[in-house]
Amino acid sequence: MLLTLTTTHRPATDLGHLLVKHPDRVQSFDLPAGTAHVLYPEADEARCTAALLVEVDPLKLGGGRGRRQATTPDSFTLGQYVNDRPYAASSLLSSALAKVFRSALRGESRDRPELAAAAIPLEVRVPVLRCRGGAELAVRVFAPLGWTVTATPIPLDEAYPEWGDSRYVDLTLTGALRLADALNHLYVLLPVLDDAKHYWVAPDEVDKLLRAGAGWLADHPERALITRRYLAHRRALAGEAMARLAELRLADEPPADDSIEGGPSAEAPRASLAVRRREAVLAALRDSGASRVLDLGCGGGALLTALVADRRFTEVVGTDVSGQALALAARRLRLDRLPERQRDRIRLWQSALTYRDDRLRGYDAAVLMEVVEHLDPPRLPALEDAVFGHARPGTVVVTTPNVEYNVRYEGLGAGRFRHADHRFEWTRAEFAAWVERVAAAHGYTATIGGVGDEDAELGCPTQLAVLSRTDTDIRKEETTR
């Protein structure tokens, strides 16, 4: 079975540093079911391709203690020896990825730590992938993660097209992602598409799934299918994994909002509102020129993960009143595994947004993403004073639901908010009035927009405001320091 990974990032041969595999050598690794080889069919400044070739030994695959416990579709007597496993990508390829590219999966690179944290152009090719669910399922699981997916069904026999397609697809993924993210996507989703794990699925597989799925699985529209298949349809393990994912979502952002924010129609795979919201916030921060950023009310760290992946943000601070949420954020960021240079860019502080905190002063920008609606309205003046009056970042990005849009969500009755913990949700006029009052009171100018598909009558599902301190106000403060 074969997988190739290509980049055109210059110099493209830096891919060897990220994978910790030299382009000038062929390296081999023993696996429980055979041997893995890493080689580079092409390697120059403009383009570099690493190939992972796995040779399966049927005797190793068929024997060994506990093999009867593994799930397998091959039920006839010689099925363990006569099957497609040497040729079609499966959970065996996923296991090879975990062993051969271990440090790259963790996002570690001693020689190129900045590059390991950056999104680079990538193309992944799996020429023969067993895909239970067909090409359409391959699109459904990879497209929400930022990949452009080409999944071409392989015919049973090209000479006899009337026989139809086989159970295999030729899969190509293209996109700009961190290498670690790309490898973790493959590690989880290759066995999901194959839907036949070839080793004993123990309880620690839940931890492996959540580690590899950190930052994307909790928000994935197919998370239930992914969890069930990855854990070989073991109901107890899948239930535990889904409960832990729900905990992550609760700490991250309102699950009810996320569950309905695909909108009234979901004909084609697309980014959820949660993802589009994060992208809009990141764009606003980049436009502001900020390098030192506060994520106030960071929850489980979804935005923090995106901030840390962008090297222009030299210092990233996440604050939350919940110690549990900060622990989830640390786990999601994999702080214990990051290189020291990366870890030094990140701070996680327990802090309440309704109290002044001197640690938060002097930052270029702050984000209040889906935060203000969780406060009782009488507490808003305290937040305004703490953030805009005391911390006084150069830019503040605020997002909050547009209550007018709620009628577009099925199952959200009149008078109901998108999450049980919301104390209020503003109309567009109410949000604009609050933003304008805060800006005028604290020396900011403001622009207001929206995120998500815009309804001609009701606006966008999410409201977004960018408040920027005036140059005069900033110069005056710098003069007094």
Side-chain angles (χ1 to χ4, degrees), residues 266-325:
E267 312 91 31
R270 59 176 179 172
S272 69
L273 182 57
V275 172
R276 296 163 77 180
R277 184 188 300 128
R278 285 196 290 272
E279 290 173 349
V281 169
L282 289 169
L285 292 173
R286 292 171 185 138
D287 289 345
S288 76
S291 59
R292 302 174 67 239
V293 179
L294 300 165
D295 183 6
L296 304 175
C298 65
L303 179 62
L304 290 175
T305 303
L307 289 168
V308 171
D310 192 327
R311 287 182 295 172
R312 80 188 71 203
F313 303 120
T314 58
E315 184 177 351
V316 176
V317 176
T319 76
D320 204 281
V321 71
S322 167
Q324 181 186 24

Side-chain angles (χ1 to χ4, degrees), residues 202-389:
D204 65 352
E205 289 292 307
V206 174
D207 292 327
K208 293 179 184 178
L209 172 63
L210 296 184
R211 280 198 299 269
W216 61 271
L217 181 56
D219 294 327
H220 199 292
E222 298 291 344
R223 58 187 171 275
L225 177 144
I226 292 169
T227 300
R228 185 171 63 252
R229 285 192 173 195
Y230 181 88
L231 296 169
H233 300 272
R234 293 190 61 187
R235 185 174 299 178
L237 295 183
E240 177 189 346
M242 288 298 291
R244 290 170 63 179
L245 286 172
E247 182 183 37
L248 285 170
R249 285 161 59 78
L250 181 61
D252 231 4
E253 54 187 299
D257 187 21
D258 193 38
S259 65
I260 59 179
E261 60 193 359
S265 163
E267 312 91 31
R270 59 176 179 172
S272 69
L273 182 57
V275 172
R276 296 163 77 180
R277 184 188 300 128
R278 285 196 290 272
E279 290 173 349
V281 169
L282 289 169
L285 292 173
R286 292 171 185 138
D287 289 345
S288 76
S291 59
R292 302 174 67 239
V293 179
L294 300 165
D295 183 6
L296 304 175
C298 65
L303 179 62
L304 290 175
T305 303
L307 289 168
V308 171
D310 192 327
R311 287 182 295 172
R312 80 188 71 203
F313 303 120
T314 58
E315 184 177 351
V316 176
V317 176
T319 76
D320 204 281
V321 71
S322 167
Q324 181 186 24
L326 293 173
L328 289 170
R331 191 160 56 197
R332 187 173 201 160
L333 290 163
R334 303 181 183 183
L335 286 183
D336 58 335
R337 300 183 182 184
L338 287 178
E340 184 176 354
R341 188 181 304 179
Q342 283 289 90
R343 196 165 54 245
D344 288 346
R345 294 170 56 211
I346 307 167
R347 306 281 186 275
L348 295 178
W349 295 334
Q350 192 164 15
S351 182
L353 293 179
T354 52
Y355 295 93
R356 293 187 169 202
D357 188 335
D358 289 340
R359 296 175 298 176
L360 306 183
R361 293 177 61 85
Y363 282 83
D364 300 326
V367 178
L368 291 165
M369 190 173 77
E370 307 300 285
V371 169
V372 294
E373 65 273 10
H374 290 268
L375 292 177
D376 290 311
R379 301 296 293 158
L380 283 176
L383 176 142
E384 296 162 14
D385 175 69
V387 175
F388 297 94

